[in-house]
Amino acid sequence: GAVVSQHPSWVICKSGTSVKIECRSLDFQATTMFWYRQFPKQSLMLMATSNEGSKATYEQGVEKDKFLINHASLTLSTLTVTSAHPEDSSFYICSAREVGLPQHFGDGTRLSIL
Amino acid sequence: RKEVEQDPGPFNVPEGATVAFNCTYSNSASQSFFWYRQDCRKEPKLLMSVYSSGNEDGRFTAQLNRASQYISLLIRDSKLSDSATYLCVVNKNTGNQFYFGTGTSLTVIP
């Protein structure tokens, strides 16, 4: 089945650090990938839709300059949390889908900002 | 109004029980519907898609009611391993956006 790989799985950084998270589709080409954030005991909240070769579409309330998304190829999208602060600590999950099929999720990245 | 709404529970049921979850969605033009399962501190995994005619996969039955804009998930003969959070997911008709409910927590008790 389709596999989505996300790296790193856990990051602990000092406040002010920028953190890059990678999301790869391993056995299919994903023209669209999604980035979600999940706070404890809450559901996934869509942050942005990442389209290969074009700018990402951000959901309302998500700062595009804070969360930089790059989708350089059909198998890789990256999310960079710039100048991260403690309030950015969360569980970040990417997903990807083949046309007409449900999305598959990466393992998620636990980000802790001290 | 939220795109997708679910009763967060928790549902605590004995082994062997039947339990049902409902989920409502606000956009009548929504096209695709899914149930995902999420274990604690893990990523969501697709449990099943939901079709208009209803569909069954072993002990799990999913149904869609477009007129009332809700979907349901029925779990029969609950197992301890069914304990998880069940997320209702709806795909809007515009683009590829998927929207998640807050999830319903299920604990199956021995």
Side-chain angles (χ1 to χ4, degrees):
Chain A
V3 177
V4 176
S5 172
Q6 190 172 338
H7 176 81
S9 57
W10 202 311
V11 182
I12 302 175
C13 291
K14 291 182 179 179
S15 184
T17 306
S18 292
V19 178
K20 179 186 280 189
I21 303 170
E22 292 187 350
C23 180
R24 294 179 186 273
S25 57
L26 298 185
D27 57 357
F28 66 99
Q29 293 184 329
T31 53
T32 305
M33 291 184 174
F34 307 90
W35 288 97
Y36 294 86
R37 179 168 52 183
Q38 186 177 35
F39 292 105
K41 299 189 177 182
Q42 295 186 26
S43 185
L44 282 79
M45 295 299 295
L46 179 65
M47 298 175 66
T49 302
S50 170
N51 301 297
E52 187 268 336
S54 64
K55 292 182 179 180
T57 303
Y58 289 83
E59 294 298 297
Q60 191 173 11
V62 179
E63 299 174 58
K64 62 180 181 180
D65 295 330
K66 172 77 172 178
F67 300 98
L68 301 178
I69 292 173
N70 184 284
H71 195 152
S73 76
L74 287 171
T75 59
L76 173 64
S77 176
T78 61
L79 168 68
T80 301
V81 183
T82 60
S83 186
H85 292 284
E87 59 267 27
D88 298 321
S89 299
S90 187
F91 187 47
Y92 292 85
I93 307 178
C94 73
S95 72
R97 68 186 297 233
E98 297 177 86
V99 175
L101 296 176
Q103 54 186 325
H104 294 274
F105 289 86
D107 292 338
T109 297
R110 241 166 242 297
L111 176 63
S112 296
I113 304 298
L114 306 177
Chain B
R1 185 183 171 189
K2 289 183 181 178
E3 294 280 348
V4 180
E5 300 212 44
Q6 276 184 265
D7 179 352
F11 284 68
N12 299 313
V13 303
E15 235 179 325
T18 296
V19 61
F21 309 134
N22 287 329
C23 166
T24 58
Y25 59 94
S26 61
N27 190 330
S28 60
S30 297
Q31 294 184 329
S32 305
F33 310 88
F34 310 92
W35 283 102
Y36 278 77
R37 169 195 169 130
Q38 185 175 27
D39 291 289
C40 189
R41 304 171 81 85
K42 297 281 186 67
E43 79 281 14
K45 292 189 185 296
L46 179 66
L47 180 64
M48 58 198 305
S49 301
V50 186
Y51 304 117
S52 297
S53 56
N55 48 299
E56 188 174 305
D57 182 3
R59 298 182 292 109
F60 299 85
T61 301
Q63 291 193 312
L64 167 64
N65 185 318
R66 285 191 184 272
S68 300
Q69 294 180 209
Y70 79 81
I71 66 173
S72 64
L73 177 68
L74 182 77
I75 305 176
R76 290 182 298 277
D77 188 23
S78 300
K79 310 290 185 191
L80 296 178
S81 57
D82 293 334
S83 298
T85 296
Y86 291 84
L87 299 168
C88 166
V89 182
V90 174
N91 179 208
K92 287 179 69 172
N93 65 324
T94 55
N96 285 304
Q97 287 100 332
F98 288 78
Y99 290 89
F100 286 73
T102 52
T104 299
S105 174
L106 171 66
T107 300
V108 180
I109 304 164

